[in-house]
Amino acid sequence: MTATGDDARAVALALPGVREGFDWQMPTFRVAGKLFLTLPEGETSMAVRCPILDRDELVAAEPAKFWIAGHEANNAWVRVRLAALDDLAELEAIVTDSWAQAAPRKLMEQHPDGGGG
């Protein structure tokens, strides 16, 4: 399965309160003004919010799929190679989890599963 930037965009824009923008020469996605997803590297990867401990475990477990950009090393973000994802369900889970870390409770309650991903 090869996920694309368009797949990530569709998942993100289906979530409550999401707005697409263009910053740092790439598409960016925000909820309630908070950044939760970017599509760098010509939309072949995505950067998402991820607690640092979880992020480090993901990178250690699946380095072909997840990595940490140098300028994000001290931040709770992880990069994801879209082509390495198992399926669209995995893409949706990752994007939804990142959204839930940025979304206010009011918007999370609008998600079908309460924003739980």
Side-chain angles (χ1 to χ4, degrees), residues 57-79:
E57 290 175 1
L58 286 171
V59 171
E62 297 186 80
K65 188 181 292 186
F66 301 100
W67 86 99
I68 303 164
H71 68 280
E72 296 167 344
N74 295 319
N75 298 308
W77 286 83
V78 69
R79 298 285 176 103

Side-chain angles (χ1 to χ4, degrees), residues 1 3 7-8 10-12 14-15 36-37 46 48 80 82 85-100 111-113 115-117:
M1 184 256 154
D7 295 327
V11 170
L15 295 165
F36 75 94
L37 171 72
M46 62 183 178
V48 294
V80 184
L82 293 173
L85 293 174
D86 296 333
D87 53 33
L88 289 177
E90 184 178 26
L91 171 70
E92 184 174 355
I94 292 168
V95 172
T96 301
D97 184 62
S98 183
W99 170 85
H111 191 271
D113 68 1

Side-chain angles (χ1 to χ4, degrees), residues 3 5 12 19 29-30 32-33 42 47 56 68 81 85-86 93-94 96 110:
R19 300 288 180 262
F29 299 83
R30 297 175 188 270
D56 293 347
I68 303 164
R81 290 176 180 86
L85 293 174
D86 296 333
I94 292 168
T96 301
Q110 294 176 24

Side-chain angles (χ1 to χ4, degrees), residues 22-65:
F22 195 81
D23 300 289
W24 311 292
Q25 301 178 334
M26 71 183 112
T28 58
F29 299 83
R30 297 175 188 270
V31 58
K34 292 183 180 176
L35 189 65
F36 75 94
L37 171 72
T38 66
L39 293 172
E41 287 94 34
E43 298 189 26
T44 60
S45 71
M46 62 183 178
V48 294
R49 288 177 176 253
C50 185
I52 290 176
L53 181 60
D54 295 342
R55 173 196 74 180
D56 293 347
E57 290 175 1
L58 286 171
V59 171
E62 297 186 80
K65 188 181 292 186

